[in-house]
Amino acid sequence: MKEPLFLNSVLQEKIWGGDHLKEFGYDLPSDKVGEYWAISAHPHGVSTIANGEFKGQKLDQLYASHRELFGDSKKEVFPLLTKILDANDWLSVQVHPDDEYGQKHEGELGKTECWYIISAEPGAEIIYGHNAKSREELAEMIKSGDWDHLLRKVKVKTGDFFHVPSGTMHAIGAGIVILETQQSSDTTYRVYDFDRKDDQGNLRELHIQQSIDVLNIPGDKVPENQVKTEKFADAEITTLVKSDFFDVYKWQVHGEHEFTKVADYTLVSVLDGEGKLTVDGNEYPLKKGAHFILPSNVENWTLSGHLEIIASNPA
């Protein structure tokens, strides 16, 4: 059958989380929910198929047993992970390794990611890069706690987009909700955590040496924005990034628009609005907070209504 794979997924409570994800229709267990792992086959939070022939199956199991749905991918694990994050407070200042370092030291992929800013309160900021010019200077500034001079802060607004390759110093600031597309990895090296304590009164673990090992030098060379938009009668299609790991798009539909596949499979997240998806003559209602995969055998589909969507596919 040609049908989309809708997903039910896992909420993650975090020290910096809030309650904004209820706006997507999710039933929150507390007011400290930081992440919804919307499309995930990672063992720390696996999505479940919610419809059709494979209803009830876990995404990691489906990927292992029905690789034809994913273009007969040769990748050992499902390569991407889509999250929505609610930063009610600063996340830790952190960095992720590349694949080589991650597989050698952590036994999993490295992590390149990107952020679409769903909403941002006035004055909200992120940390994006650092100012050290050598690894020696980096180590000295970290060990002396010279964060004001080391960290690059950038103001953000709703609709902004940031590509965050492995090796990039980064942190999401308070008052920001983002859609994150990333490699399927949960390896994070904390450089600084604002001296916060957890519920048990303990400081969270830092990973200073690993961070010094993998941070980019110099740290102020961040990717140039390559966003490009095509306008159609009833839609705007924006290419946010094309990278070695994923291609990410923003689809804005205000009417009806037919799509043709450009990759083996596509991950889709509805950020706002409502409408319907039509695949092989079958209609599926869509609303804010829905997430689904268009597998390899879906070659064409139609979106109608008023929808704001982030879509991605593995490179």
Side-chain angles (χ1 to χ4, degrees):
M1 284 186 64
K2 295 182 179 181
E3 60 181 358
L5 304 170
F6 284 86
L7 299 161
N8 292 323
S9 299
V10 179
L11 293 158
Q12 307 267 6
E13 292 178 280
K14 299 288 182 179
I15 193 172
W16 41 262
D19 64 359
H20 288 92
L21 297 190
K22 66 185 179 185
E23 297 167 12
F24 292 87
Y26 310 142
D27 185 14
L28 305 189
S30 76
D31 60 359
K32 284 288 185 182
V33 174
E35 300 180 353
Y36 183 64
W37 288 31
I39 305 175
S40 170
H42 192 279
H44 292 174
V46 183
S47 301
T48 303
I49 310 304
N51 69 300
E53 180 182 356
F54 303 106
K55 183 176 180 178
Q57 285 199 33
K58 299 292 188 181
L59 180 56
D60 57 349
Q61 297 168 347
L62 186 67
Y63 183 76
S65 61
H66 286 280
R67 204 61 67 89
E68 75 279 1
L69 296 173
F70 305 94
D72 293 316
S73 171
K74 301 298 187 287
K75 297 181 189 296
E76 185 177 344
V77 297
F78 188 80
L80 299 185
L81 200 170
T82 301
K83 297 177 182 174
I84 298 180
L85 287 80
D86 173 16
N88 198 48
D89 195 358
W90 276 96
L91 278 68
S92 60
V93 181
Q94 57 191 241
V95 63
H96 307 299
D98 62 14
D99 284 350
E100 182 180 0
Y101 192 99
Q103 288 171 335
K104 179 178 179 181
H105 294 275
E106 309 295 341
E108 71 168 0
L109 295 172
K111 187 172 168 185
T112 284
E113 62 191 49
C114 61
W115 305 336
Y116 177 78
I117 309 294
I118 298 173
S119 64
E121 293 177 1
E125 296 178 313
I126 62 171
I127 289 164
Y128 189 49
H130 65 82
N131 294 314
K133 302 302 182 188
S134 69
R135 209 159 294 281
E136 294 73 23
E137 183 183 20
L138 173 68
E140 178 56 36
M141 294 176 84
I142 289 174
K143 288 171 181 175
S144 67
D146 192 5
W147 307 114
D148 286 344
H149 291 109
L150 178 60
L151 303 175
R152 294 181 72 243
K153 287 189 175 181
V154 177
K155 290 194 180 301
V156 302
K157 63 184 185 304
T158 299
D160 284 349
F161 179 80
F162 297 89
H163 183 206
V164 187
S166 61
T168 305
M169 184 96 85
H170 64 276
I172 302 167
I176 301 173
V177 177
I178 74 164
L179 185 290
E180 178 174 293
T181 304
Q182 59 161 89
Q183 290 180 268
S184 184
S185 170
D186 201 23
T187 296
T188 294
Y189 297 143
R190 291 195 197 101
V191 187
Y192 176 55
D193 196 36
F194 306 94
D195 300 319
R196 280 184 293 204
K197 295 182 179 180
D198 63 19
D199 291 341
Q200 284 73 47
N202 301 313
L203 295 171
R204 295 202 296 172
E205 183 183 4
L206 300 179
H207 312 90
I208 301 302
Q209 188 54 56
Q210 297 98 318
S211 299
I212 293 170
D213 286 347
V214 305
L215 277 162
N216 292 336
I217 297 293
D220 58 353
K221 288 192 175 178
V222 294
E224 286 187 28
N225 206 321
Q226 302 291 328
V227 172
K228 295 179 182 177
T229 299
E230 291 183 273
K231 294 189 176 184
F232 301 91
D234 293 301
E236 293 183 8
I237 310 300
T238 301
T239 301
L240 296 173
V241 67
K242 284 182 171 287
S243 78
D244 292 339
F245 303 102
F246 43 66
D247 303 332
V248 183
Y249 306 91
K250 181 180 180 180
W251 300 341
Q252 292 171 285
V253 176
H254 38 83
E256 183 171 290
H257 188 77
E258 184 172 343
F259 292 77
T260 302
K261 80 170 189 176
V262 296
D264 286 336
Y265 56 97
T266 302
L267 285 59
V268 185
S269 297
V270 181
L271 301 188
D272 204 4
E274 58 182 57
K276 66 182 178 182
L277 164 71
T278 304
V279 173
D280 200 28
N282 295 311
E283 295 182 353
Y284 305 85
L286 297 179
K287 63 179 181 178
K288 179 176 180 174
H291 305 269
F292 57 94
I293 298 170
L294 294 162
S296 188
N297 61 356
V298 175
E299 298 183 354
N300 299 281
W301 62 93
T302 300
L303 291 172
S304 55
H306 292 272
L307 296 162
E308 180 178 308
I309 284 171
I310 297 293
S312 62
N313 54 258

